[in-house]
Amino acid sequence: MFASLSDRLTSTFKSLRGKGRLSPADVDATVRQIRLALLDADVSLPVVRQFTASVRERALGEEVSKALNPGQQVVKIVNEELVAILGGETRRLRLAKNPPTVIMLAGLQGAGKTTLAGKLGHWLKEQGHSPVLVAADLQRPNAVTQLQVNGERAGVAVFAPEPGNGVGDPVDVARRGVELARSRGHDVVVVDTAGRLGVDADLMQQAADIRDAVQPDEVLFVLDAMIGQSAVETAKQFDEGVSLTGVVMTKLDGDARGGAALSVVTVTGSPILFASTGEKLTDFEVFHPDRMAGRILDMGDVLTLIEQAERAFDAEQTAKMAGKVERGEDFTLSDFLEQMQAVRRMGPLKNMLKMLPGMGDMKEQLEQFDERELDRVEAIVRSMTPAERDDLKILNGSRRARIARGSGTQVSDVNGLVERFTQAQKMMRQMRRGGGMPGLPGMPGGGMPGGVPGMVGPGKRGKQKKGKAAARKGSRSGNPAKRAAEEAGLGQRGGAAAGSGSGAAFGLSEQGGQSFDPASLPDAFRGR
């Protein structure tokens, strides 16, 4: 969502690099570019004025003039101001001292309230609570049915005594829902209310009546992040009508400009508590202003990445893998399949890679990455027997042909996966023996397989040339398919270590010169 804003801010800061001192003209030009970037992102004009005035004042002050690196200091100032307009500190859900905690959802029709009720119920259940969803939207066709389906998928109880579609009293349903939760031991009640296509007197009166009837601990405004500045004005009207205590952003995975998220806190005074980032029940997270600011400025969001990894990886499986590493056992394709499944439970791989610092420069390669490559790799591994996954040496020509037929791929694809995985195993053995990271200057271990220009340790240059000559003159496989794959991949092995080492270890296609490899992700992904 913030791609355009992130690109423009990052481009603005590049012009400050290497400057030992920033003149008032440099500051003015930077602030002007920031203002244009925010306005282009649909940020509310009063918020833009407040933001740029604060950045200008601090950038012209002593904290920049006395800094060793003024450019980085300006980036730090912009980051801190972004965190401030996004709410400052993370605001957690306020739970009632005497259960049940009542959460009322309000907002316009189409913002995603009913879907969000299911996501919130699923999240609360994961946190150890016993929530119940109350179907008080009796106006929109099939709203009650939709909430029941969402509740069933989330494994959460739903109170829906009325069929809806214009039948029933929503205020009475909300009141009875709270009474039911109290009598049956549910500690959280999520009340889904009706919306309209626009704010009107009937809508606001109904929302106010429900609020008075259930006395909610939280009144959360469900804000569609894709409808721009009009969403902020709507939030302001709801705040005046029902006294909002927080905001939930939906559709943050869309391609809108994202100005609503940067404006709503300042305009309403209500913090953003949660963000919905996709269609699945699990595409729901606590909103952290500092982490979102980091994403906008291409600083990454590693903390959220680690939290997702902790939820996706099984503790027993992680301990088992750690034991194998300690005993010096090889990482097999069976282990890789388990790890890949855990990584994929975290969501689309390219979304996770975007959370790593500095990935903004690789945006085009990330967008070109095809998740179906992972499906093909998984199909190949699943077409192998357990014995074949654990010992690749037994894969003769007939076995490889059978695996290719079973996975719907070519024999060359199977050969490529096996060859690169074998190379990755050798690299891991070398590192486990204390050989260091191959190919890094001044570190033991020599060069990466195939060699990387400019990445040779001292005194290794002659040996590297000898290795290249041996690679050119080496023997070819007797298997025609494998020989063709070797000849096709010869250039890759000579040009980039990522292609011949861990980067392409699992047969993932390279896009734009970059190779994406689940096994090369941070340790948190692999449960270590």
Side-chain angles (χ1 to χ4, degrees):
M1 169 158 285
F2 297 103
S4 175
L5 175 61
S6 178
D7 289 344
R8 295 193 61 166
L9 291 179
T10 304
S11 176
T12 299
F13 297 142
K14 284 181 180 178
S15 63
L16 302 178
R17 290 178 183 172
K19 292 193 175 183
R21 180 178 177 276
L22 294 184
S23 66
D26 292 331
V27 173
D28 288 342
T30 301
V31 171
R32 187 182 307 113
Q33 291 300 317
I34 293 173
R35 181 189 300 113
L36 292 174
L38 293 173
L39 290 174
D40 186 59
D42 266 347
V43 180
S44 175
L45 181 59
V47 177
V48 174
R49 287 174 175 167
Q50 175 184 329
F51 182 87
T52 53
S54 181
V55 170
R56 181 192 299 275
E57 180 181 354
R58 294 181 61 184
L60 292 173
E62 292 186 357
E63 64 178 307
V64 172
S65 62
K66 294 184 177 181
L68 293 177
N69 192 322
Q72 290 185 3
Q73 195 66 25
V74 170
V75 176
K76 178 175 178 290
I77 290 172
V78 173
N79 179 61
E80 291 174 352
E81 294 299 324
L82 274 177
V83 172
I85 68 171
L86 287 169
E89 297 181 355
T90 302
R91 161 75 148 79
R92 302 288 180 176
L93 199 63
R94 286 194 300 235
L95 300 176
K97 294 182 179 179
N98 299 315
T101 299
V102 180
I103 303 172
M104 174 181 165
L105 303 181
L108 294 181
Q109 184 174 314
K113 291 190 303 300
T114 304
T115 300
L116 187 115
K119 292 183 177 182
L120 180 57
H122 181 267
W123 181 84
L124 287 166
K125 184 180 178 182
E126 285 191 331
Q127 301 301 309
H129 296 284
S130 175
V132 59
L133 310 181
V134 177
D137 181 358
L138 305 180
Q139 177 180 319
R140 182 171 62 86
N142 296 319
V144 173
T145 303
Q146 182 185 354
L147 187 65
Q148 290 173 327
V149 171
N150 289 339
E152 183 178 353
R153 290 172 55 204
V156 175
V158 177
F159 178 67
E162 300 289 351
N165 300 323
V167 178
D169 181 3
V171 178
D172 180 62
V173 169
R175 185 187 299 109
R176 289 163 58 192
V178 175
E179 293 173 355
L180 174 85
R182 188 174 290 112
S183 64
R184 296 190 179 180
H186 295 286
D187 62 345
V188 182
V189 181
V190 180
V191 181
D192 179 30
T193 64
R196 299 287 195 283
L197 295 177
V199 177
D200 58 29
D202 292 340
L203 167 65
M204 204 57 67
Q205 185 60 51
Q206 184 183 105
D209 291 343
I210 293 176
R211 179 202 60 192
D212 295 340
V214 300
Q215 295 295 309
D217 301 281
E218 296 276 15
V219 181
L220 303 184
F221 177 69
V222 181
L223 175 63
D224 183 347
M226 297 187 68
I227 60 176
Q229 292 191 29
S230 61
V232 178
E233 184 60 32
T234 303
K236 188 175 180 180
Q237 295 180 40
F238 268 93
D239 186 41
E240 294 171 352
V242 295
S243 301
L244 304 177
T245 63
V247 176
V248 181
M249 300 291 300
T250 63
K251 306 178 186 177
L252 276 181
D253 56 323
D255 57 359
R257 297 174 182 178
L262 295 171
S263 307
V264 67
V265 175
T266 302
V267 172
T268 67
S270 301
I272 303 175
L273 272 67
F274 299 101
S276 174
T277 57
E279 298 179 358
K280 298 180 181 178
L281 284 174
T282 53
D283 294 335
F284 181 80
E285 59 189 44
V286 175
F287 187 87
H288 299 278
D290 54 339
R291 300 184 191 181
M292 184 58 68
R295 294 186 198 183
I296 294 173
L297 296 180
D298 196 25
M299 296 178 180
D301 187 0
V302 178
L303 289 177
T304 297
L305 209 54
I306 292 173
E307 289 175 359
Q308 291 179 354
E310 289 176 343
R311 290 195 299 267
F313 282 87
D314 179 75
E316 182 178 344
Q317 176 186 332
T318 302
K320 177 184 175 183
M321 186 62 60
K324 288 192 67 172
V325 174
E326 291 174 1
R327 293 190 298 271
E329 299 179 15
D330 272 339
F331 182 78
T332 68
L333 277 174
S334 295
D335 301 323
F336 166 65
L337 184 60
E338 292 181 1
Q339 298 292 300
M340 185 169 70
Q341 289 171 335
V343 169
R344 300 192 74 177
R345 285 197 294 269
M346 297 170 60
L349 186 59
K350 60 184 176 184
N351 288 352
M352 291 182 281
L353 291 171
K354 288 177 182 178
M355 295 185 189
L356 297 176
M359 295 302 285
D361 293 336
M362 299 175 62
K363 191 173 300 179
E364 291 184 6
Q365 292 93 324
L366 288 174
E367 292 303 324
Q368 291 173 1
F369 175 62
D370 188 357
E371 292 281 340
R372 290 175 296 182
E373 290 292 336
L374 296 178
D375 295 331
R376 297 185 188 101
V377 172
E378 184 173 347
I380 292 173
V381 178
R382 286 189 177 279
S383 295
M384 297 180 182
T385 66
E388 290 169 343
R389 295 175 196 168
D390 294 338
D391 185 7
L392 297 178
K393 295 178 181 178
I394 68 174
L395 288 177
N396 55 25
S398 61
R399 287 176 181 263
R400 296 178 189 230
R402 189 206 75 238
I403 293 168
R405 289 195 302 271
S407 59
T409 59
Q410 301 297 320
V411 174
S412 58
D413 297 325
V414 178
N415 292 338
L417 172 63
V418 171
E419 182 178 353
R420 288 186 284 268
F421 192 84
T422 301
Q423 291 174 350
Q425 281 182 324
K426 292 178 181 178
M427 185 184 301
M428 293 174 70
R429 291 191 203 110
Q430 181 178 350
M431 295 174 64
R432 194 164 52 224
R433 290 194 300 264
M437 179 65 75
L440 293 181
M443 294 185 68
M448 289 276 278
V452 183
M455 296 289 283
V456 201
K460 301 289 185 178
R461 196 168 300 278
K463 292 184 178 181
Q464 187 198 28
K465 289 181 179 179
K466 182 178 179 181
K468 285 184 177 180
R472 285 193 296 268
K473 297 178 181 179
S475 61
R476 296 288 182 266
S477 170
N479 185 318
K482 184 174 182 180
R483 183 168 63 249
E486 288 175 342
E487 292 171 353
L490 187 59
Q492 293 180 0
R493 288 198 290 276
S500 60
S502 62
F506 308 117
L508 302 182
S509 63
E510 297 190 8
Q511 305 290 347
Q514 300 294 332
S515 183
F516 297 92
D517 169 21
S520 66
L521 296 175
D523 286 347
F525 279 83
R526 302 195 296 273
R528 298 179 187 172

